[in-house]
Amino acid sequence: MSQTTRNTPDTELSQFRVKGEIPVPVLINWLTTVAVPLLVFFAWRSGLRNDPVTPPLLIGFAVMLAANSLVYWLSSHKTHQRRGFIALITVLFTYLAIHAVEDGSAILWLFAYPPIIFYISEARVGVAACSGGFAAVILLFSPLGNMLFEPPYSSSFRLTMIFALSFEMVTCYILDQSRRRSKLGLLKLAADFEYAAKHDALTGLANRREALSQLDAEHQRYLRNGRLFSVVLLDIDLFKSVNDNYGHHVGDELITLVAQTLREQCRKVDTLARWGGEEYLILLPETPSEQALQTADRIRQAISEASVNTGQGLIKTTVSAGVATIRRSESIDRLLQRSDEALYQAKSEGRNRVCG
């Protein structure tokens, strides 16, 4: 069985959402919905002040933000939507600060920038954007900024703005890191729970529940396109005597040894499951009867050659196996019954053999 759930890197896990988390595209669309009428309102106010530049620019930003959301609705491309939104609000906030819109008070909208950037983008993008924005504010408030843009900000406002903005950016970064770590922890915990629900704790193979789920999926595929599949029920011979003579810890080592041999002998597309106790199930997709029998016999031979080292020396074991291949429109229960009957036959004929 694949263990991709447990082995998923943190960078990939972070792409998933946890319950209650607002999806980035939804947040951007809501912000756009709020921003467009606000821009229109402040464009109207600038027009009342006979400002020939600001009204058309603010209307232009409103149109571009709306178009960005519209393109997302048509294409569902999240990355383009996010990048377009970040670029637009970066240019917008820069204009508001440099041209001192609303008598210079529009620069206060910069405080909305850090939380938005950190939420909708990766942490490194948020750090880079906020660092660039902070450097731009320092430049704007510097003597060079006075020469280039002549901003109407007092010295006390500039000092307060710089410290308050830097405090907010650092705080947003810390809170964002905490949010990301908590989210990653929840996702890892969920992945561990999902893995534990589908796998046997001792062997790491699929458990009975997961095996039945895979059987049902393969059966549905067979009903759709007629591709044969086979199952192998495999049981360790005289396992009780091993526990009685050597102890349960040796029995567990033997169970693990058989599981490891199955991994080595089977394909990646095969489902390997601990069916119960010392019994295993192997699901062989697209495998006819003859090939399934050959596979089962190869596994039987490999297990008979393996051994477990105990305090009293090496011990070996053998297995018996029953093979059944799906036919006509039979059910999974009937398929498993036939493989179980074949396993019983193998046991009756002297063990360490494969019947089908």
Side-chain angles (χ1 to χ4, degrees):
M1 282 295 296
S2 172
Q3 298 185 16
T4 53
T5 304
R6 297 189 78 189
N7 298 332
T8 303
D10 292 355
T11 52
E12 293 184 23
L13 275 177
S14 64
Q15 303 303 313
F16 295 97
R17 290 194 298 114
V18 297
K19 186 176 181 180
E21 184 180 19
I22 302 174
V24 170
V26 173
L27 178 62
I28 291 176
N29 287 333
W30 276 108
L31 290 173
T32 300
T33 302
V34 174
V36 168
L38 280 175
L39 288 170
V40 172
F41 172 73
F42 284 110
W44 171 72
R45 281 177 56 84
S46 297
L48 294 179
R49 299 178 183 182
N50 297 320
D51 183 343
V53 178
T54 301
L57 281 176
L58 295 184
I59 294 295
F61 279 116
V63 171
M64 286 186 287
L65 284 171
N68 185 58
S69 288
L70 180 60
V71 169
Y72 168 74
W73 282 111
L74 296 176
S75 65
S76 298
H77 202 298
K78 299 178 183 179
T79 302
H80 288 169
Q81 182 207 28
R82 184 178 69 252
R83 290 176 178 174
F85 184 79
I86 291 175
L88 287 171
I89 64 172
T90 300
V91 176
L92 172 62
F93 288 166
T94 300
Y95 175 78
L96 295 178
I98 291 176
H99 290 274
V101 178
E102 288 291 312
D103 298 326
S105 63
I107 196 175
L108 296 177
W109 283 101
L110 284 177
F111 287 105
Y113 191 73
I116 293 175
I117 289 297
F118 276 117
Y119 191 93
I120 69 176
S121 60
E122 298 177 3
R124 57 185 179 83
V125 176
V127 170
C130 287
S131 299
F134 187 72
V137 171
I138 295 294
L139 175 63
L140 177 65
F141 291 164
S142 68
L144 180 61
N146 290 333
M147 293 174 53
L148 295 175
F149 309 111
E150 300 180 355
Y153 305 114
S154 66
S155 298
S156 59
F157 177 84
R158 298 182 188 202
L159 189 64
T160 301
M161 183 74 183
I162 289 173
F163 281 109
L165 188 60
S166 63
F167 176 81
E168 189 205 18
M169 287 180 174
V170 172
T171 302
C172 285
Y173 172 76
I174 294 172
L175 293 177
D176 181 70
Q177 288 299 299
S178 176
R179 176 182 69 88
R180 292 177 191 272
R181 290 194 192 100
S182 298
K183 174 184 174 181
L184 192 59
L186 287 173
L187 289 170
K188 285 184 174 179
L189 189 61
D192 287 341
F193 278 138
E194 182 181 4
Y195 181 86
K198 294 181 178 181
H199 294 78
D200 173 63
L202 178 62
T203 63
L205 301 182
N207 57 22
R208 191 185 187 101
R209 175 185 175 187
E210 175 64 8
L212 287 172
S213 175
Q214 295 295 326
L215 271 169
D216 182 65
E218 194 63 34
H219 187 251
Q220 293 300 319
R221 194 161 74 113
Y222 163 74
L223 294 178
R224 288 195 305 271
N225 53 38
R227 293 184 178 179
L228 295 176
F229 68 93
S230 300
V231 295
V232 179
L233 276 180
L234 183 147
D235 187 81
I236 300 176
D237 294 328
L238 303 174
F239 181 74
K240 185 177 183 300
S241 65
V242 175
N243 282 336
D244 294 341
N245 295 329
Y246 299 97
H248 288 278
H249 66 286
V250 175
D252 287 347
E253 289 184 27
L254 204 58
I255 288 174
T256 304
L257 174 68
V258 173
Q260 181 59 36
T261 306
L262 292 179
R263 289 193 186 93
E264 294 170 355
Q265 297 296 322
C266 292
R267 305 167 299 180
K268 290 185 178 180
V269 297
D270 300 334
T271 296
L272 313 176
R274 187 179 178 191
W275 195 241
E278 67 275 15
E279 194 172 24
Y280 304 81
L281 179 137
I282 308 171
L283 169 62
L284 303 171
E286 299 190 22
T287 306
S289 179
E290 183 177 351
Q291 185 179 343
L293 287 167
Q294 292 173 357
T295 299
D297 196 60
R298 185 182 69 248
I299 293 170
R300 179 200 61 79
Q301 180 66 28
I303 292 173
S304 69
E305 295 172 356
S307 60
V308 171
N309 191 4
T310 69
Q312 305 173 36
L314 295 175
I315 64 168
K316 292 190 175 184
T317 190
T318 60
V319 295
S320 301
V323 179
T325 302
I326 193 72
R327 60 189 183 189
R328 296 186 291 276
S329 58
E330 72 176 340
S331 65
I332 293 175
D333 289 339
R334 176 54 186 155
L335 175 67
L336 292 173
Q337 182 183 351
R338 288 199 295 113
S339 61
D340 192 55
E341 291 170 354
L343 173 60
Y344 181 78
Q345 179 185 350
K347 292 284 189 181
S348 301
E349 293 180 1
R351 301 184 179 88
N352 191 23
R353 66 189 63 228
V354 175
C355 291

